[in-house]
Amino acid sequence: MKDKSSDKADSGFDIVGLGKTAEAIPKEVYIEASRGLIDTFSKIVAPITETTSGIGRYIRQKFDNMVEVEKALAAFTIQNAVEKAKRSGNILIPKHTKSFITSFEEASKETNPILHEMWENIIANQITDSNFHPRYVNILSTLSADEADLLMQLNTVDNLGEGFSVYFGSPRDGFDYFLLKCRDKILHKWSYSCNILLDSGLAEVLAPTDEIYEKQNNVTIIYLTSSGKRFLDAVTINSHSASNSIGN
């Protein structure tokens, strides 16, 4: 016979329509959501809110207004973020309350594993005051899983190798393929995600060596800017590895 609390957790999941996200999140977290996750959440955020009641009440109100699955995701995210923050140093009150609230609200709705962990990491950085700027929250909220995946594949300029030059002007479109490093033989299809990373300042392009690539292929090199590197450090807690291969 199916447990009623499990039914209720599943019901909350269906209401939000999120699909089967977080299979990484233990099932008991969803069950606990139907049994009174509010008390658990209050304990989890205590290290953040214990020195000021104002932000504590604000966070609690936001949490109370969430449906069950959002509460489960929010609590799970905050718990992991606090644990990561403790490993990095002392827990601090977030300097930017609005950014913090937005972060855990976004995390409560995000079911893509890559993006969800990025929200978790950006929360951890906010409560240790490291590698964080309020604009990072806005940037992350505009990225899809495709942009996040691509961003983590990009190299910085010093890791591109030799054989590139700068463009005259600032080209932003018209490319058919891109490279991750100079003289790569694998051409990756240019996509709208590339444009988004360029528009956000997280990535930029360089001209590849002419004699290797056919001009009609419209090939460019896309790389991680210094701003992109700082953003990536904030949302991955320095777990960025440029050696990974491009996903589908």
Side-chain angles (χ1 to χ4, degrees):
M1 183 175 178
K2 195 171 182 180
D3 184 79
K4 290 183 179 179
S5 61
S6 179
D7 283 336
K8 191 171 182 181
D10 288 341
S11 176
F13 196 87
D14 292 339
I15 288 171
V16 183
L18 294 177
K20 290 286 181 188
T21 315
E23 291 185 358
I25 298 178
K27 184 176 181 180
E28 57 267 22
V29 173
Y30 290 105
I31 295 174
E32 189 179 356
S34 65
R35 293 177 177 170
L37 191 56
I38 292 177
D39 291 338
T40 300
F41 181 78
S42 297
K43 294 176 183 177
I44 292 171
V45 298
I48 305 170
T49 61
E50 60 187 1
T51 60
T52 173
S53 60
I55 188 174
R57 288 195 300 271
Y58 188 29
I59 292 173
R60 172 63 180 269
Q61 184 61 56
K62 289 290 185 179
F63 183 78
D64 286 349
N65 292 335
M66 293 178 178
V67 297
E68 289 171 1
V69 69
E70 290 177 329
K71 289 177 181 178
L73 286 168
F76 182 75
T77 303
I78 294 289
Q79 183 176 39
N80 288 345
V82 168
E83 290 174 356
K84 289 180 179 180
K86 285 180 178 178
R87 292 196 291 269
S88 300
N90 295 326
I91 303 296
L92 303 175
I93 302 301
K95 291 183 177 179
H96 305 277
T97 303
K98 182 178 179 180
S99 296
F100 181 78
I101 295 295
T102 299
S103 296
F104 96 81
E105 284 186 306
E106 289 284 345
S108 74
K109 297 176 176 65
E110 182 55 66
T111 62
N112 176 270
I114 294 175
L115 289 171
H116 189 271
E117 184 170 7
M118 285 184 170
W119 282 115
E120 185 178 290
N121 292 334
I122 209 170
I123 290 172
N125 276 318
Q126 288 180 76
I127 56 180
T128 56
D129 197 29
S130 61
N131 299 325
F132 178 74
H133 188 280
R135 188 167 184 269
Y136 292 164
V137 174
N138 296 330
I139 293 174
L140 184 54
S141 67
T142 65
L143 299 185
S144 72
D146 288 339
E147 284 93 68
D149 182 60
L150 174 58
L151 187 65
M152 292 190 292
Q153 316 307 316
L154 300 183
N155 291 287
T156 53
V157 172
D158 55 330
N159 288 320
L160 291 181
E162 298 180 355
F164 63 84
S165 59
V166 297
Y167 290 103
F168 289 106
S170 301
R172 290 285 177 171
D173 209 346
F175 302 115
D176 294 323
Y177 299 94
F178 70 87
L179 312 170
L180 294 177
K181 298 185 75 169
C182 301
R183 301 178 184 275
D184 269 359
K185 294 182 179 180
I186 299 176
L187 303 183
H188 303 284
K189 187 69 176 177
W190 187 269
S191 68
Y192 186 57
S193 292
C194 299
N195 293 68
I196 291 175
L197 293 186
L198 264 60
D199 290 342
S200 65
L202 302 177
E204 196 47 89
V205 291
L206 289 166
T209 304
D210 288 339
E211 63 267 20
I212 297 179
Y213 308 103
E214 299 292 337
K215 288 187 177 180
Q216 63 266 27
N217 286 335
N218 294 321
V219 180
T220 190
I221 302 167
I222 185 168
Y223 69 95
L224 189 68
T225 62
S226 58
S227 294
K229 178 63 166 61
R230 286 191 288 270
F231 170 77
L232 199 54
D233 285 345
V235 298
T236 59
I237 308 190
N238 298 316
S239 62
H240 171 225
S241 174
S243 62
N244 292 336
S245 60
I246 284 286
N248 294 328

